[in-house]
Amino acid sequence: MHQKIYESVERFWQTSMLAALEDFIRIPALSPDFDNSWEKTGHLAFAVEQAKAWAQKQGIRGLKCEIVKDEGCTPCLLVEIEPSSADKFERSVFFYGHLDKQPENEGWDADKSPWVPVLQNGRLYGRGSVDDGYAFYSLLGAVKVMQELGFAHPRCVGLFETCEESSSRHYEAYLDKCRQRLGDIGLVIALDSTCGDYDRLWIVRSLRGMLGGVLKVQTLTEGVHSGEASGIAPSSFMVLRNLLDRLENSATGEMLPQAFKTEISDETVEENRQVAALLGDEVWSHFPFAGATQPLSRDALTCLLNRGWRPEMTVTGIDGVPKVENAGNVMRVFTAAKIGIRLPPGVDAVKASRALSQIVTENPPFQAKVSYSSTVESDGWTAPQTAPWLQKAFEESSQAFWGNAPCYFGMGASIPLLNVFSKTWPKAQFMVAGGLGPNSNAHGPNESLHIEYALKLIASIVWIVANYKE
């Protein structure tokens, strides 16, 4: 039976899903944070309309699709699929994914492009392929395969958004609006996640939270000759470095404030030790290091704990700095840095954000003008204890489709909505998985979907939903 499932999934990929994903890649459906004119350009609306039209052509029995949109808010696609038999479960299966995208980014290979799909070496390249346009087509495709093979399935519902890359700021209102139609949920499946390799089913047990904001330092009201001012006026960049040093040890990358940290349990360490033994140097070696650059640590366990359970900071943008080719001998007026801090699960993001603001704005060097504007405050997430039936389905799926046992680990990124789902449906189980594995490069150049892994993941969903229990 497992072989039939995989063959049906493979046929679905060739006859329907591949073309749909290629069409999706061609849409520059930038998330609102990266396209202020998103309503005028209409790309997000078109992505949702195209997904709806595709779904309605698949012949999925009991399917209803509806575009939900409030004024000024990005659209969502509400999906309802009636159960295959009269034996209805009290709680349904919920599908989550998103159809908005990150911007193009620079550095794509000459034969690839963010908006032109390319099939190469078993991967589908293009923006949104793995993050996470494939989720919508995969989840509905799994139901299609179940119906073709005669598997009974529970009621399945989904609410697919177009604002995930902009903090899902419209999603909770839509969730409340559609709450009655969605009903109670017993299993949430989200595919906007990662895998350690492509040799087994990877299930994410935890995700980090996120702080984001802009730290701005101003020391002058207009630019002045650096030969005249240096040694007298403090540079805004020097003050910015000093403030960032309050947050991070720049020699090691360790975050300093206790407000960002959590205690790591022995159970978590042991789980990560097993993953480290499995992956070894692959934990860090697949990153595109330049020249002789070394990772912060070559110890796999340390890397995993850093990524999943320790706070880490990244400066993702700088304002007030001209390009090198245009930089004269001028002391600049200001420097502003966009910073992102990943928080371990269990750390209160709102409290951590207040602490961050206080740390960087109190008593600035030389009484410089300093401001911090918070843009993101989201908590991390930890999965509830896995039910025996779901644990068994994970094991059976991984063995059947990959020939290896599944692996469980923590993801370094964030999916803020998982906390919303946990609070909305406290009895729900979770399957958080995805194709964001080595060299998939979501958000960066050459984003790609590992096709074989995606097909096996769809096959696993077929098996898991077919074995759904309450």
Side-chain angles (χ1 to χ4, degrees):
M1 181 52 72
H2 290 104
Q3 183 63 30
K4 287 185 177 180
I5 292 173
Y6 185 79
E7 289 172 354
S8 295
V9 169
E10 193 172 32
R11 185 166 54 252
F12 166 75
W13 167 264
Q14 293 293 344
T15 59
S16 183
M17 184 174 167
L18 174 57
L21 261 182
E22 288 178 331
D23 287 343
F24 173 72
I25 287 170
R26 294 185 179 99
I27 306 172
L30 295 182
S31 201
D33 278 358
F34 312 108
D35 180 8
N36 293 329
S37 303
W38 62 270
E39 287 192 277
K40 184 177 180 180
T41 59
H43 296 312
L44 293 176
F46 182 58
V48 172
E49 290 163 1
Q50 181 175 277
K52 177 186 176 184
W54 172 87
Q56 291 175 328
K57 293 178 181 178
Q58 301 311 302
I60 300 172
R61 294 188 297 275
L63 171 70
K64 295 179 184 178
C65 279
E66 178 183 332
I67 295 174
V68 184
K69 186 180 185 315
D70 291 337
E71 185 176 353
C73 296
T74 54
C76 281
L77 184 56
L78 173 64
V79 173
E80 299 173 83
I81 305 172
E82 293 305 310
S84 59
S85 69
D87 297 327
K88 296 182 179 180
F89 290 97
E90 182 180 347
R91 293 186 287 274
S92 304
V93 175
F94 179 82
F95 298 149
Y96 170 76
H98 67 89
L99 296 166
D100 58 315
K101 305 181 183 182
Q102 284 277 324
E104 301 92 322
N105 212 312
E106 299 178 352
W108 290 75
D109 291 346
D111 60 346
K112 300 179 183 69
S113 161
W115 314 125
V116 178
V118 173
L119 279 171
Q120 191 177 102
N121 299 324
R123 290 177 178 266
L124 175 62
Y125 288 85
R127 179 61 81 227
S129 57
V130 72
D131 185 23
D132 92 318
Y134 83 105
F136 173 80
Y137 301 96
S138 297
L139 291 164
L140 268 68
V143 178
K144 172 67 174 176
V145 168
M146 292 178 68
Q147 292 184 350
E148 285 182 347
L149 295 178
F151 283 109
H153 66 77
R155 182 171 184 266
C156 298
V157 296
L159 190 61
F160 297 87
E161 66 165 323
T162 56
C163 197
E164 193 274 343
E165 304 292 1
S166 302
S167 304
S168 300
R169 54 179 172 262
H170 306 142
Y171 195 88
E172 287 193 63
Y174 284 131
L175 193 64
D176 288 341
K177 184 174 184 177
C178 300
R179 180 81 176 271
Q180 187 173 357
R181 292 177 63 177
L182 293 172
D184 200 5
I185 302 299
L187 173 64
V188 174
I189 302 180
L191 300 184
D192 191 19
S193 194
T194 190
C195 54
D197 60 20
Y198 300 109
D199 299 328
R200 70 206 79 244
L201 176 63
W202 289 83
I203 299 297
V204 171
R205 301 280 207 197
S206 65
L207 297 99
R208 286 191 293 187
M210 179 74 178
L211 298 184
V214 177
L215 176 59
K216 182 177 179 179
V217 176
Q218 183 175 354
T219 56
L220 299 168
T221 57
E222 62 182 25
V224 294
H225 194 300
S226 61
E228 292 294 320
S230 59
I232 298 177
S235 82
S236 60
F237 188 74
M238 177 185 70
V239 175
L240 177 67
R241 285 189 302 166
N242 180 284
L243 297 176
L244 293 179
D245 282 344
R246 297 179 181 182
L247 300 173
E248 177 191 64
N249 182 334
S250 58
T252 65
E254 179 189 359
M255 296 296 292
L256 302 175
Q258 287 298 317
F260 303 159
K261 299 180 180 181
T262 190
E263 184 176 347
I264 305 175
S265 69
D266 292 342
E267 181 182 5
T268 296
V269 173
E270 182 55 35
E271 184 176 88
N272 281 273
R273 194 186 309 279
Q274 294 175 17
V275 177
L278 180 68
L279 297 180
D281 291 350
E282 284 296 317
V283 171
W284 56 267
S285 63
H286 67 277
F287 290 103
F289 292 109
T293 303
Q294 296 293 306
L296 293 175
S297 173
R298 297 172 68 94
D299 177 68
L301 176 59
T302 299
C303 288
L304 289 170
L305 292 176
N306 284 349
R307 185 180 66 182
W309 288 91
R310 292 181 180 127
E312 305 290 345
M313 182 175 72
T314 305
V315 175
T316 59
I318 296 282
D319 278 347
V321 181
K323 292 184 177 180
V324 171
E325 62 192 37
N326 298 324
N329 294 323
V330 175
M331 183 171 287
R332 298 174 294 101
V333 173
F334 77 94
T335 307
K338 184 176 182 180
I339 60 176
I341 297 176
R342 300 289 178 175
L343 294 174
V347 174
D348 187 309
V350 173
K351 291 181 180 178
S353 183
R354 291 174 186 157
L356 168 60
S357 180
Q358 183 176 3
I359 290 167
V360 296
T361 59
E362 275 193 349
N363 301 317
F366 309 105
Q367 299 183 39
K369 184 178 179 180
V370 175
S371 65
Y372 175 73
S373 301
S374 175
T375 55
V376 179
E377 299 171 351
S378 64
D379 292 338
W381 174 83
T382 303
Q385 184 174 358
T386 307
W389 75 264
L390 184 56
Q391 187 77 28
K392 181 181 179 184
F394 288 156
E395 298 282 343
E396 291 173 342
S397 298
S398 194
Q399 290 289 355
F401 300 117
W402 284 274
N404 289 313
C407 206
Y408 308 91
F409 73 142
M411 180 177 169
S414 307
I415 306 178
L417 286 175
L418 290 180
N419 278 312
V420 176
F421 298 153
S422 290
K423 293 174 183 176
T424 304
W425 303 303
K427 296 181 180 180
Q429 290 287 297
F430 285 80
M431 177 186 178
V432 181
L436 293 164
N439 303 312
S440 60
N441 219 27
H443 295 202
N446 303 321
E447 177 183 341
S448 65
L449 175 70
H450 190 285
I451 295 171
E452 184 181 359
Y453 191 82
L455 300 188
K456 291 178 178 179
L457 188 57
I458 297 170
S460 295
I461 293 167
V462 171
W463 186 254
I464 289 163
V465 175
N467 285 276
Y468 173 71
K469 292 180 176 60
E470 290 184 345

